[in-house]
């Protein structure tokens, strides 16, 4: 007679009790600590969190979104994309169009058109700007534009069995082509300068402390939500197939699975996450331009995942924080050495930390646990011998 063991609930299958507690603490920091210490505490207090810190942390949270998206396709499916910066920028541009429409007649030329269109002697909005003055339509574009592009690109790439370094190269070529396209004034996206000088969001001034904090809190909540959704995906049967595709795609095919559907689904979902991150990034940073599509930015996203630890979900978030925190420091103190430091960090992580910083923490924890067990064994043995005597 077989004994039936109780099945773990979805909550316990996703994370341990300690991990859920850590997520709750992280949410409390974002939703309570930051608003209280930024909006209610006087600026003269040592506990005051400055607007600069809020803006910097908000930007890093947006980057953490992208690192999470990269981990889903690279860490769990083995697809190294060097074009995720494009999806991030497209989401930013989609929401930036709405923010530009919100400026109204408050621009330098007091026209209903954005300043760059007036400067280029445009008389009306191009057709693809239609309905972008509606908030919910802009949110729809944020999801659809990167999602549809990723679906079409991924369908033809995965159907043609393009993978490995060849896939990475064509993703680089794609983002580079879009960057050149958006640099052109004729495309109607502001050329080199892109979109900037935003005034309002939902008719509320965008530069107020309350609006800035609201965007920060929304970013933090959505990041935790997507982290949980991603965890649910990778621990499901779907996620196990993704991992199998990463490790041995041919065997997966022999087992009757079609990798195209799985790779296409996770690739498109990853692009949508990047688009949402871009939409949250633009109002907090105040600008979006074609440089966000540069190949170097997409390579940097892969470095975040490598430094933090691929295939862990939490690791890439940590990597995004570490690398961008260091970037913020170096670009102020030693701007000429930043790229050298970034390259050195990537080389060291590749050679000595194949599992990233999170893997290093795991090794240290295992060694401490093993040492503690060794120290307890002799004393237990002595106690046992004494008891027998």
């Amino acid at each position: 007679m077989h004994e039936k063991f109780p099945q773990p609930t979805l909550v316990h299958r996703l994370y341990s009790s300690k991990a859920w507690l850590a997520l709750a603490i992280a949410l409390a920091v974002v939703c309570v600590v930051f608003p209280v210490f930024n909006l209610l505490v006087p600026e003269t207090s040592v506990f005051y969190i400055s607007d600069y810190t809020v803006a910097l942390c908000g930007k890093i949270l947006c980057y953490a979104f992208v690192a999470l998206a990269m981990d889903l396709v690279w860490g769990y499916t083995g697809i190294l994309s060097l074009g995720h910066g494009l999806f991030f920028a497209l989401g930013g541009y989609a929401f930036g169009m709405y923010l530009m429409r919100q400026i109204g007649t408050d621009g330098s030329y007091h026209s209903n058109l954005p300043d760059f269109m007036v400067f280029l002697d445009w008389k009306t909005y191009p057709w693809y700007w239609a309905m972008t003055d509606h908030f919910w339509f802009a949110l729809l574009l944020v999801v659809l534009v990167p999602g549809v592009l990723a679906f079409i690109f991924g369908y033809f790439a995965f159907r043609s069995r393009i993978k490995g370094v060849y896939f990475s190269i064509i993703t680089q070529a794609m983002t580079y082509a879009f960057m050149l396209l958006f640099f052109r004034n004729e495309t109607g996206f502001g050329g080199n300068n892109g979109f900037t000088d935003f005034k309002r969001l939902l008719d509320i001034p965008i530069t107020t402390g309350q609006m800035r904090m609201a965007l920060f809190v929304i970013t933090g909540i959505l990041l935790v939500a997507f982290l949980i959704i991603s965890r649910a995906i990778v621990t499901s049967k779907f996620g196990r197939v993704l991992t199998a595709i990463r490790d041995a795609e041919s065997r997966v095919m022999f087992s009757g699975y079609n990798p195209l559907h799985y790779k296409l689904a996770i690739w498109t979902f990853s692009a949508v996450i990047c688009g949402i991150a871009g939409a949250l990034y633009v109002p907090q940073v105040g600008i979006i331009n074609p440089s966000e599509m540069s190949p170097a930015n997409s390579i940097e996203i892969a470095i975040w995942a490598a430094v933090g630890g691929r295939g862990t979900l939490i690791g890439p978030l940590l990597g995004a924080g570490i690398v961008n925190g260091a970037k913020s420091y170096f670009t102020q103190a030693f701007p000429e050495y930043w790229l050298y430091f970034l390259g050195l960090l990537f080389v060291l992580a590749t050679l000595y930390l194949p599992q990233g910083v999170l893997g290093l923490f795991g090794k240290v924890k295992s060694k401490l646990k093993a040492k503690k067990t060794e120290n307890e064994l002799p004393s237990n043995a002595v106690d046992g011998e004494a008891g027998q005597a």
Side-chain angles (χ1 to χ4, degrees), residues 173-246:
M174 178 178 65
T175 190
Y176 188 68
F178 270 88
M179 183 185 72
L180 295 180
L181 178 67
F182 274 65
F183 265 127
R184 295 173 63 86
N185 288 326
E186 294 82 357
T187 54
F189 293 109
N192 292 353
N193 298 322
F195 298 157
T196 188
D197 196 27
F198 307 127
K199 305 290 186 188
R200 286 174 288 274
L201 172 58
L202 291 171
D203 296 324
I204 302 172
I206 205 168
T207 55
T208 60
Q210 290 80 3
M211 175 57 78
R212 190 183 300 108
M213 184 52 65
L215 290 168
F216 175 80
V217 171
I218 291 171
T219 305
I221 292 173
L222 286 179
L223 178 60
V224 172
F226 274 103
L227 177 64
I228 295 171
I229 293 171
S230 300
R231 179 69 179 170
I233 290 174
V234 299
T235 55
S236 66
K237 180 183 176 184
F238 180 85
R240 290 194 291 275
V241 175
L242 293 179
T243 308
I245 291 172
R246 178 195 65 189

Side-chain angles (χ1 to χ4, degrees), residues 77-251:
T77 319
I79 303 170
L80 175 55
S81 167
L82 297 181
H84 262 43
L86 171 63
F87 304 130
F88 176 80
L90 288 178
Y93 267 100
F95 198 66
M97 293 163 78
Y98 166 77
L99 293 175
M100 293 300 285
R101 299 290 290 265
Q102 281 272 296
I103 295 175
T105 57
D106 291 345
S108 301
Y109 298 103
H110 303 291
S111 168
N112 282 322
L113 295 173
D115 286 346
F116 72 87
M117 288 188 182
V118 178
F119 181 77
L120 295 172
D121 200 25
W122 290 40
K123 302 301 180 188
T124 58
Y125 283 104
W127 62 269
Y128 43 83
W129 278 71
M131 295 182 64
T132 51
D133 55 335
H134 298 284
F135 179 73
W136 293 109
F137 185 75
L139 293 186
L140 193 63
L141 286 180
V142 166
V143 173
L144 284 181
V145 173
V148 170
L149 176 64
F151 183 85
I152 295 172
F153 176 86
Y155 177 77
F156 288 105
F158 298 139
R159 188 168 175 267
S160 304
R161 306 288 304 277
I162 298 173
K163 54 187 177 182
V165 66
Y166 300 104
F167 185 86
S168 303
I169 290 172
I170 62 171
T171 53
Q172 277 267 282
M174 178 178 65
T175 190
Y176 188 68
F178 270 88
M179 183 185 72
L180 295 180
L181 178 67
F182 274 65
F183 265 127
R184 295 173 63 86
N185 288 326
E186 294 82 357
T187 54
F189 293 109
N192 292 353
N193 298 322
F195 298 157
T196 188
D197 196 27
F198 307 127
K199 305 290 186 188
R200 286 174 288 274
L201 172 58
L202 291 171
D203 296 324
I204 302 172
I206 205 168
T207 55
T208 60
Q210 290 80 3
M211 175 57 78
R212 190 183 300 108
M213 184 52 65
L215 290 168
F216 175 80
V217 171
I218 291 171
T219 305
I221 292 173
L222 286 179
L223 178 60
V224 172
F226 274 103
L227 177 64
I228 295 171
I229 293 171
S230 300
R231 179 69 179 170
I233 290 174
V234 299
T235 55
S236 66
K237 180 183 176 184
F238 180 85
R240 290 194 291 275
V241 175
L242 293 179
T243 308
I245 291 172
R246 178 195 65 189
D247 296 337
E249 185 172 341
S250 299
R251 291 188 181 184

Side-chain angles (χ1 to χ4, degrees), residues 37-69:
F37 286 88
N38 174 249
L39 298 176
L40 302 180
V41 172
E43 294 186 14
T44 54
S45 172
V46 293
F47 297 107
Y48 175 70
I49 298 177
S50 67
D51 293 342
Y52 170 78
T53 304
V54 173
L56 177 63
C57 292
K59 187 170 72 171
I60 292 176
L61 287 180
C62 294
Y63 289 151
F65 265 92
V66 186
L68 179 68

